[in-house]
Amino acid sequence: LEKIGTLAEYRLNNDHGFSKDGKWLAFSASSAASRRSQVYIAAADGSNAQLRTPASPSYFHGWSPDGRWLAFVGERDGNFDIFRLARKGGGEQRITSDAGYDDGPDYSPDGKWIYFNSNRSGSWDIWRMPAKGAGAGDRKSERVTSDELEDWFPHPSPDGKWLLFLSFPKGTKGHDARTEIE
């Protein structure tokens, strides 16, 4: 194990990950400049960290398999939606717009889908949308789970055959670390 000491100036939260090729690191953190979480990209050794989401809060969740895009959740205008951001630059692109709370985006291994959790159906379920976005009115979003539990943070398996996610007891409002999960 080796500590990435160049990131000591940031207050990292639990959202971080390497690009599939291992060359880049994305992470969410607050800093002296902002007490709210923002997304940064750095070289894999933590050097040359660059702020990528001036708007906050923003929470990194996943890299596209080709390393060209990052998926993150951000609160904008009082609503949490899913965004994508090109690694090489440019502004954030909102890819969901439903009034529900969207969170936890992660790419499918083939890069065609982004899976995420949302309470847009009245409870927390797993949804998916094309990687370029849900489209007008989120009409391209597809509900994946519909059960009595509150489902969060989907992660497709490397072969695309399985979907790993957390399930909290019915009625759980958020993802409290002290709540027993199934």
Coordinates of all heavy atoms in Angstrom, one line a residue, residues 3-74:
K3 N 0.4 5.6 0.2 CA -0.5 6.7 0.4 C -0.2 7.7 -0.8 O 0.9 7.9 -1.1 CB -0.3 7.4 1.7 CG -1.2 8.5 2.0 CD -1.0 9.0 3.4 CE -1.9 10.2 3.7 NZ -1.8 10.7 5.0
I4 N -1.3 8.2 -1.3 CA -1.2 9.3 -2.4 C -1.1 10.6 -1.6 O -2.1 11.2 -1.3 CB -2.4 9.2 -3.4 CG1 -2.4 7.9 -4.1 CG2 -2.2 10.4 -4.4 CD1 -3.6 7.7 -5.0
G5 N 0.1 11.0 -1.3 CA 0.3 12.2 -0.4 C 0.0 13.5 -1.1 O -0.2 14.5 -0.4
T6 N 0.0 13.5 -2.4 CA -0.2 14.8 -3.1 C -1.6 15.3 -2.9 O -1.9 16.5 -3.3 CB 0.1 14.7 -4.6 OG1 -0.7 13.7 -5.2 CG2 1.6 14.4 -4.8
L7 N -2.5 14.5 -2.4 CA -3.9 14.9 -2.3 C -4.3 15.4 -0.8 O -5.4 15.5 -0.5 CB -4.8 13.7 -2.7 CG -4.7 13.2 -4.1 CD1 -5.6 12.1 -4.4 CD2 -4.9 14.4 -5.1
A8 N -3.2 15.6 0.0 CA -3.4 15.9 1.4 C -4.2 17.2 1.6 O -4.9 17.4 2.6 CB -2.1 16.0 2.1
E9 N -4.2 18.1 0.6 CA -4.9 19.4 0.7 C -6.4 19.3 0.6 O -7.1 20.2 0.8 CB -4.3 20.4 -0.3 CG -4.7 20.1 -1.7 CD -3.9 20.9 -2.7 OE1 -2.7 20.6 -3.0 OE2 -4.5 21.9 -3.2
Y10 N -6.9 18.1 0.1 CA -8.3 17.9 -0.1 C -8.9 17.1 1.0 O -8.3 16.3 1.6 CB -8.5 17.2 -1.4 CG -7.9 17.9 -2.6 CD1 -6.7 17.6 -3.1 CD2 -8.6 19.0 -3.2 CE1 -6.2 18.2 -4.2 CE2 -8.1 19.6 -4.3 CZ -6.9 19.3 -4.8 OH -6.3 19.9 -5.8
R11 N -10.2 17.4 1.3 CA -10.9 16.6 2.3 C -11.8 15.6 1.4 O -12.9 15.9 1.1 CB -11.8 17.4 3.1 CG -11.0 18.2 4.1 CD -11.8 19.1 5.0 NE -12.5 20.2 4.3 CZ -12.0 21.4 4.0 NH1 -10.7 21.6 4.3 NH2 -12.7 22.3 3.4
L12 N -11.2 14.4 1.1 CA -11.8 13.4 0.2 C -13.0 12.8 1.0 O -12.9 12.5 2.2 CB -10.8 12.4 -0.2 CG -9.9 12.8 -1.4 CD1 -8.9 13.8 -1.0 CD2 -9.3 11.5 -1.9
N13 N -14.0 12.5 0.2 CA -15.1 11.7 0.7 C -15.0 10.3 0.2 O -13.9 9.9 -0.3 CB -16.5 12.3 0.5 CG -16.8 12.5 -1.0 OD1 -16.5 11.6 -1.8 ND2 -17.4 13.6 -1.4
N14 N -16.0 9.5 0.2 CA -15.8 8.1 -0.2 C -15.9 7.8 -1.7 O -15.9 6.7 -2.2 CB -16.8 7.2 0.5 CG -18.2 7.6 0.2 OD1 -18.5 8.7 -0.2 ND2 -19.1 6.6 0.4
D15 N -16.1 8.9 -2.6 CA -16.3 8.7 -4.0 C -15.0 8.9 -4.7 O -14.5 10.1 -4.8 CB -17.3 9.7 -4.5 CG -18.6 9.6 -3.7 OD1 -19.1 8.5 -3.5 OD2 -19.2 10.6 -3.4
H16 N -14.4 7.8 -5.3 CA -13.1 7.9 -6.0 C -13.0 6.7 -6.9 O -13.6 5.7 -6.7 CB -12.0 8.0 -5.0 CG -12.0 6.8 -4.0 ND1 -12.8 6.9 -2.9 CD2 -11.5 5.6 -4.1 CE1 -12.7 5.7 -2.2 NE2 -11.9 4.9 -2.9
G17 N -12.1 6.8 -7.9 CA -11.8 5.6 -8.7 C -10.8 5.9 -9.8 O -10.7 7.0 -10.3
F18 N -10.1 4.8 -10.2 CA -9.2 4.9 -11.4 C -9.9 4.6 -12.7 O -10.9 3.8 -12.7 CB -8.1 3.8 -11.2 CG -7.1 4.1 -10.1 CD1 -7.1 3.4 -8.9 CD2 -6.2 5.1 -10.3 CE1 -6.2 3.6 -7.9 CE2 -5.3 5.4 -9.3 CZ -5.3 4.6 -8.1
S19 N -9.4 5.3 -13.7 CA -9.9 4.9 -15.1 C -9.5 3.5 -15.4 O -8.5 3.0 -14.8 CB -9.3 5.9 -16.1 OG -7.9 5.9 -16.1
K20 N -10.2 2.8 -16.3 CA -9.9 1.4 -16.6 C -8.4 1.2 -17.0 O -7.8 0.2 -16.7 CB -10.8 0.9 -17.7 CG -10.8 -0.6 -17.9 CD -11.8 -1.1 -18.8 CE -11.7 -2.6 -18.9 NZ -12.8 -3.2 -19.7
D21 N -7.8 2.2 -17.7 CA -6.4 2.0 -18.2 C -5.4 2.3 -17.0 O -4.2 2.2 -17.2 CB -6.2 2.9 -19.4 CG -6.3 4.4 -19.2 OD1 -6.5 4.8 -18.0 OD2 -6.2 5.1 -20.1
G22 N -6.0 2.8 -15.9 CA -5.1 3.1 -14.7 C -4.3 4.4 -14.8 O -3.5 4.6 -13.9
K23 N -4.6 5.2 -15.8 CA -3.8 6.4 -16.0 C -4.4 7.6 -15.2 O -3.7 8.6 -14.9 CB -3.7 6.8 -17.4 CG -2.9 5.8 -18.3 CD -2.9 6.2 -19.7 CE -2.1 5.2 -20.5 NZ -2.0 5.6 -21.9
W24 N -5.7 7.6 -14.9 CA -6.3 8.7 -14.3 C -7.1 8.3 -13.0 O -7.5 7.2 -12.8 CB -7.4 9.3 -15.3 CG -6.7 9.7 -16.5 CD1 -6.7 9.0 -17.7 CD2 -6.0 10.9 -16.8 NE1 -5.9 9.7 -18.6 CE2 -5.5 10.9 -18.1 CE3 -5.7 12.0 -16.0 CZ2 -4.8 11.9 -18.7 CZ3 -4.9 13.0 -16.6 CH2 -4.5 13.0 -17.9
L25 N -7.2 9.3 -12.1 CA -7.9 9.2 -10.9 C -9.0 10.3 -10.8 O -8.6 11.4 -11.0 CB -6.9 9.3 -9.7 CG -7.5 9.4 -8.3 CD1 -8.2 8.1 -7.9 CD2 -6.4 9.7 -7.3
A26 N -10.2 9.9 -10.5 CA -11.2 10.9 -10.3 C -11.6 10.8 -8.8 O -11.6 9.6 -8.3 CB -12.4 10.6 -11.2
F27 N -11.9 11.9 -8.2 CA -12.3 11.8 -6.8 C -13.2 13.0 -6.5 O -13.2 14.0 -7.2 CB -11.1 11.8 -5.9 CG -10.2 13.0 -5.9 CD1 -10.4 14.1 -5.1 CD2 -9.2 13.0 -6.8 CE1 -9.5 15.2 -5.1 CE2 -8.3 14.1 -6.9 CZ -8.5 15.2 -6.0
S28 N -14.0 12.9 -5.4 CA -14.8 13.9 -4.9 C -14.2 14.4 -3.6 O -13.8 13.6 -2.7 CB -16.3 13.4 -4.6 OG -16.8 12.8 -5.7
A29 N -14.2 15.7 -3.4 CA -13.6 16.3 -2.2 C -14.1 17.7 -2.0 O -14.5 18.4 -2.9 CB -12.1 16.2 -2.3
S30 N -14.0 18.1 -0.8 CA -14.1 19.6 -0.5 C -12.7 20.1 -0.3 O -11.7 19.3 -0.2 CB -15.0 19.8 0.8 OG -14.4 19.1 1.9
S31 N -12.5 21.4 -0.3 CA -11.2 22.0 -0.2 C -11.3 23.3 0.6 O -12.4 23.7 1.0 CB -10.6 22.2 -1.6 OG -11.4 23.2 -2.2
A32 N -10.2 23.9 0.8 CA -10.1 25.2 1.4 C -11.0 26.2 0.7 O -11.6 27.1 1.2 CB -8.7 25.7 1.6
A33 N -11.1 26.1 -0.7 CA -11.8 27.0 -1.5 C -13.3 26.7 -1.4 O -14.1 27.6 -1.7 CB -11.4 26.9 -3.0
S34 N -13.7 25.5 -1.2 CA -15.2 25.1 -1.1 C -15.4 24.1 -0.1 O -14.7 23.0 -0.1 CB -15.7 24.6 -2.5 OG -17.0 24.1 -2.3
R35 N -16.3 24.3 0.8 CA -16.6 23.3 1.9 C -17.5 22.2 1.4 O -17.9 21.3 2.1 CB -17.3 24.0 3.1 CG -16.4 25.1 3.7 CD -15.2 24.7 4.4 NE -15.5 23.9 5.6 CZ -14.7 23.2 6.2 NH1 -13.4 23.1 5.8 NH2 -15.0 22.5 7.3
R36 N -18.0 22.3 0.1 CA -18.9 21.4 -0.5 C -18.2 20.5 -1.5 O -17.2 20.9 -2.1 CB -20.1 22.1 -1.1 CG -20.9 22.9 -0.1 CD -22.0 23.6 -0.8 NE -23.1 22.7 -1.0 CZ -24.2 23.0 -1.6 NH1 -24.4 24.3 -2.1 NH2 -25.2 22.1 -1.8
S37 N -18.7 19.3 -1.6 CA -18.0 18.3 -2.5 C -18.0 18.7 -4.0 O -19.0 19.2 -4.5 CB -18.7 16.9 -2.4 OG -18.0 16.0 -3.2
Q38 N -16.8 18.6 -4.6 CA -16.6 18.8 -6.0 C -15.9 17.7 -6.6 O -15.2 16.9 -5.9 CB -15.9 20.1 -6.2 CG -16.7 21.4 -5.7 CD -15.8 22.6 -5.7 OE1 -14.9 22.7 -5.0 NE2 -16.2 23.6 -6.6
V39 N -15.9 17.6 -8.0 CA -15.2 16.5 -8.6 C -13.9 17.0 -9.2 O -13.8 18.0 -9.8 CB -16.1 15.9 -9.8 CG1 -15.3 14.8 -10.5 CG2 -17.4 15.3 -9.2
Y40 N -12.8 16.2 -9.0 CA -11.5 16.5 -9.5 C -11.0 15.3 -10.3 O -11.4 14.2 -10.1 CB -10.5 16.7 -8.3 CG -10.8 17.8 -7.4 CD1 -11.8 17.8 -6.5 CD2 -10.1 19.0 -7.6 CE1 -12.1 18.9 -5.6 CE2 -10.4 20.1 -6.8 CZ -11.3 20.0 -5.8 OH -11.6 21.1 -5.0
I41 N -10.1 15.6 -11.3 CA -9.4 14.6 -12.0 C -7.9 14.8 -11.8 O -7.4 16.0 -11.8 CB -9.7 14.6 -13.5 CG1 -11.2 14.3 -13.8 CG2 -8.8 13.6 -14.3 CD1 -11.6 14.5 -15.2
A42 N -7.1 13.7 -11.6 CA -5.7 13.8 -11.4 C -5.0 12.7 -12.1 O -5.7 11.7 -12.5 CB -5.4 13.7 -9.9
A43 N -3.7 12.8 -12.3 CA -2.9 11.6 -12.8 C -3.1 10.5 -11.7 O -3.4 10.8 -10.6 CB -1.5 12.0 -12.9
A44 N -2.8 9.3 -12.1 CA -3.0 8.1 -11.2 C -2.2 8.2 -9.9 O -2.6 7.7 -8.9 CB -2.7 6.9 -12.0
D45 N -1.1 9.0 -9.9 CA -0.3 9.1 -8.7 C -0.8 10.3 -7.8 O -0.2 10.6 -6.8 CB 1.2 9.3 -9.0 CG 1.5 10.6 -9.8 OD1 0.5 11.4 -10.1 OD2 2.6 10.8 -10.1
G46 N -1.9 10.9 -8.3 CA -2.5 12.0 -7.5 C -2.0 13.4 -7.9 O -2.5 14.4 -7.4
S47 N -1.0 13.4 -8.7 CA -0.4 14.7 -9.1 C -1.3 15.4 -10.1 O -2.2 14.8 -10.8 CB 1.0 14.5 -9.7 OG 0.9 13.8 -11.0
N48 N -1.1 16.7 -10.2 CA -1.8 17.6 -11.2 C -3.4 17.5 -11.1 O -4.1 17.4 -12.1 CB -1.4 17.3 -12.6 CG -1.8 18.4 -13.6 OD1 -1.9 19.5 -13.2 ND2 -2.0 18.0 -14.8
A49 N -3.9 17.5 -9.8 CA -5.3 17.5 -9.6 C -6.0 18.7 -10.2 O -5.5 19.9 -10.0 CB -5.6 17.3 -8.2
Q50 N -7.0 18.6 -10.9 CA -7.8 19.7 -11.5 C -9.2 19.6 -11.2 O -9.9 18.6 -11.3 CB -7.6 19.6 -13.0 CG -6.2 19.8 -13.5 CD -6.1 19.5 -15.0 OE1 -7.0 19.2 -15.7 NE2 -4.8 19.7 -15.5
L51 N -9.8 20.7 -10.7 CA -11.2 20.8 -10.4 C -12.0 20.7 -11.7 O -11.7 21.4 -12.7 CB -11.5 22.2 -9.7 CG -13.0 22.5 -9.5 CD1 -13.6 21.5 -8.5 CD2 -13.1 23.9 -9.0
R52 N -13.0 19.9 -11.7 CA -13.7 19.7 -13.0 C -15.2 20.2 -12.8 O -15.9 20.4 -13.8 CB -13.7 18.3 -13.4 CG -12.3 17.8 -13.8 CD -11.6 18.7 -14.9 NE -12.5 19.0 -16.0 CZ -12.7 18.1 -17.0 NH1 -12.0 17.0 -17.1 NH2 -13.5 18.5 -18.0
T53 N -15.7 20.3 -11.6 CA -17.1 20.7 -11.4 C -17.1 21.9 -10.4 O -17.2 21.7 -9.2 CB -17.9 19.6 -10.8 OG1 -17.4 19.2 -9.5 CG2 -18.0 18.4 -11.7
P54 N -17.0 23.1 -10.9 CA -17.1 24.3 -10.1 C -18.4 24.3 -9.3 O -18.4 24.8 -8.1 CB -17.0 25.5 -11.0 CG -16.3 24.9 -12.2 CD -16.7 23.5 -12.3
A55 N -19.5 23.8 -9.9 CA -20.8 23.8 -9.2 C -20.7 22.7 -8.1 O -20.1 21.7 -8.3 CB -21.9 23.6 -10.1
S56 N -21.4 22.9 -7.0 CA -21.4 21.9 -5.9 C -22.7 21.9 -5.2 O -23.5 22.9 -5.3 CB -20.3 22.3 -4.9 OG -20.5 23.5 -4.3
P57 N -23.0 20.8 -4.6 CA -22.2 19.6 -4.4 C -22.2 18.7 -5.7 O -23.2 18.7 -6.4 CB -22.8 18.9 -3.2 CG -24.2 19.2 -3.3 CD -24.3 20.6 -3.8
S58 N -21.1 18.0 -5.9 CA -20.9 17.1 -7.0 C -20.2 15.9 -6.4 O -19.2 16.1 -5.7 CB -20.1 17.7 -8.1 OG -20.8 18.9 -8.6
Y59 N -20.6 14.7 -6.8 CA -20.0 13.5 -6.3 C -19.7 12.5 -7.5 O -20.6 12.0 -8.2 CB -21.0 12.8 -5.4 CG -21.4 13.6 -4.2 CD1 -22.6 14.4 -4.3 CD2 -20.6 13.7 -3.1 CE1 -23.0 15.2 -3.2 CE2 -21.0 14.5 -2.0 CZ -22.2 15.3 -2.1 OH -22.6 16.1 -1.1
F60 N -18.4 12.2 -7.7 CA -18.0 11.3 -8.7 C -18.5 9.9 -8.4 O -18.6 9.5 -7.2 CB -16.5 11.2 -8.8 CG -15.9 10.0 -9.5 CD1 -16.0 10.0 -10.9 CD2 -15.5 8.9 -8.9 CE1 -15.5 8.9 -11.6 CE2 -15.0 7.8 -9.6 CZ -15.0 7.8 -11.0
H61 N -18.9 9.1 -9.5 CA -19.3 7.7 -9.2 C -18.7 6.7 -10.2 O -18.5 5.6 -9.9 CB -20.8 7.6 -9.2 CG -21.4 8.0 -8.0 ND1 -21.5 7.1 -6.9 CD2 -22.0 9.1 -7.5 CE1 -22.1 7.7 -5.9 NE2 -22.4 9.0 -6.2
G62 N -18.4 7.1 -11.5 CA -17.9 6.1 -12.4 C -17.3 6.6 -13.7 O -17.6 7.7 -14.1
W63 N -16.3 5.8 -14.1 CA -15.7 6.1 -15.4 C -16.3 5.3 -16.5 O -16.7 4.1 -16.3 CB -14.2 5.6 -15.4 CG -13.3 6.5 -14.6 CD1 -12.9 6.4 -13.3 CD2 -12.5 7.6 -15.1 NE1 -12.0 7.3 -13.0 CE2 -11.7 8.1 -14.1 CE3 -12.5 8.3 -16.4 CZ2 -10.9 9.2 -14.3 CZ3 -11.7 9.3 -16.5 CH2 -10.9 9.8 -15.5
S64 N -16.4 5.8 -17.7 CA -16.8 5.0 -18.9 C -15.7 4.0 -19.2 O -14.5 4.3 -18.8 CB -17.1 5.9 -20.1 OG -15.9 6.6 -20.5
P65 N -16.0 2.9 -19.7 CA -14.9 1.9 -20.0 C -13.8 2.4 -20.8 O -12.6 2.0 -20.7 CB -15.7 0.8 -20.7 CG -17.1 0.9 -20.3 CD -17.3 2.4 -20.1
D66 N -14.0 3.3 -21.7 CA -13.0 3.9 -22.6 C -12.2 5.0 -22.0 O -11.3 5.6 -22.6 CB -13.5 4.3 -24.0 CG -14.6 5.4 -23.9 OD1 -14.8 6.0 -22.8 OD2 -15.2 5.7 -24.9
G67 N -12.6 5.4 -20.8 CA -11.9 6.5 -20.0 C -12.2 7.9 -20.5 O -11.5 8.8 -20.1
R68 N -13.1 8.0 -21.4 CA -13.4 9.4 -22.0 C -14.4 10.2 -21.2 O -14.4 11.4 -21.2 CB -14.0 9.2 -23.4 CG -12.9 8.7 -24.4 CD -13.5 8.5 -25.8 NE -14.1 9.8 -26.3 CZ -15.2 9.8 -27.0 NH1 -15.8 8.8 -27.4 NH2 -15.6 11.0 -27.4
W69 N -15.2 9.5 -20.3 CA -16.3 10.2 -19.6 C -16.3 9.8 -18.1 O -15.9 8.7 -17.8 CB -17.6 9.8 -20.2 CG -17.8 10.3 -21.6 CD1 -17.6 9.5 -22.7 CD2 -18.2 11.6 -22.0 NE1 -17.8 10.3 -23.8 CE2 -18.2 11.6 -23.5 CE3 -18.5 12.8 -21.4 CZ2 -18.6 12.7 -24.2 CZ3 -18.9 13.9 -22.2 CH2 -18.9 13.8 -23.5
L70 N -16.7 10.7 -17.3 CA -17.0 10.4 -15.9 C -18.5 10.7 -15.7 O -19.1 11.6 -16.2 CB -16.3 11.4 -15.0 CG -14.8 11.4 -15.0 CD1 -14.2 12.3 -16.0 CD2 -14.3 11.9 -13.6
A71 N -19.1 9.8 -14.9 CA -20.5 10.0 -14.5 C -20.5 10.5 -13.0 O -19.7 10.0 -12.2 CB -21.3 8.7 -14.6
F72 N -21.3 11.5 -12.7 CA -21.4 12.0 -11.4 C -22.8 12.5 -11.1 O -23.6 12.7 -12.0 CB -20.3 13.1 -11.1 CG -20.6 14.4 -11.8 CD1 -21.3 15.4 -11.1 CD2 -20.1 14.6 -13.1 CE1 -21.5 16.6 -11.8 CE2 -20.3 15.8 -13.7 CZ -21.0 16.8 -13.1
V73 N -23.1 12.6 -9.8 CA -24.4 13.2 -9.4 C -24.1 14.6 -8.8 O -23.0 14.8 -8.2 CB -25.1 12.3 -8.3 CG1 -24.3 12.1 -7.1 CG2 -26.5 12.8 -8.0
G74 N -25.0 15.5 -9.1 CA -24.8 16.9 -8.7 C -26.2 17.4 -8.3 O -27.2 17.1 -8.9

